[in-house]
């Protein structure tokens, strides 16, 4: 990552290297949030479900509640 940033600095400029660094950090934090959400809420909830119908209901409920926030975060 440092080598890429230094390459951008040498060939393009400091401003663009700063943008690249900012996007990299935002991506890391966003991925950390999604991974934590999966590990701490979704997977334990899915293990409690014993039949297909309840599982489908839980997945749809997840999409209805969490996905709009994730989509907003992507924008």
């Amino acid at each position: 990552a440092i080598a890429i940033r230094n390459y951008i600095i040498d060939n393009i400029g400091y401003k663009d290297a700063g943008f690249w660094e900012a996007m990299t950090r935002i991506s890391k934090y966003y991925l950390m949030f999604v991974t934590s959400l999966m590990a701490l809420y979704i997977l334990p909830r899915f293990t409690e479900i014993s039949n297909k119908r309840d599982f489908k209901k839980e997945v749809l409920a997840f999409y209805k509640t969490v996905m709009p926030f994730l989509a907003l975060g992507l924008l």
Side-chain angles (χ1 to χ4, degrees), residues 45-74:
R45 180 69 185 120
F46 285 171
T47 59
E48 296 172 355
I49 299 171
S50 60
N51 62 27
K52 218 175 194 182
R53 185 171 182 237
D54 290 341
F55 182 77
K56 186 176 179 180
K57 261 175 67 174
E58 187 65 31
V59 170
L60 290 175
F62 168 75
Y63 279 123
K64 287 180 183 177
T65 57
V66 176
M67 292 306 284
F69 292 111
L70 294 178
L72 185 63
L74 283 172

Side-chain angles (χ1 to χ4, degrees), residues 16-65:
D16 292 318
F19 287 138
W20 183 84
E21 183 73 26
M23 291 307 295
T24 303
R25 288 186 186 208
I26 289 170
S27 176
K28 285 179 186 178
Y29 292 128
Y30 190 73
L31 185 59
M32 182 178 61
F33 172 74
V34 171
T35 304
S36 298
L37 182 67
M38 291 289 290
L40 297 174
Y41 175 74
I42 296 168
L43 293 177
R45 180 69 185 120
F46 285 171
T47 59
E48 296 172 355
I49 299 171
S50 60
N51 62 27
K52 218 175 194 182
R53 185 171 182 237
D54 290 341
F55 182 77
K56 186 176 179 180
K57 261 175 67 174
E58 187 65 31
V59 170
L60 290 175
F62 168 75
Y63 279 123
K64 287 180 183 177
T65 57

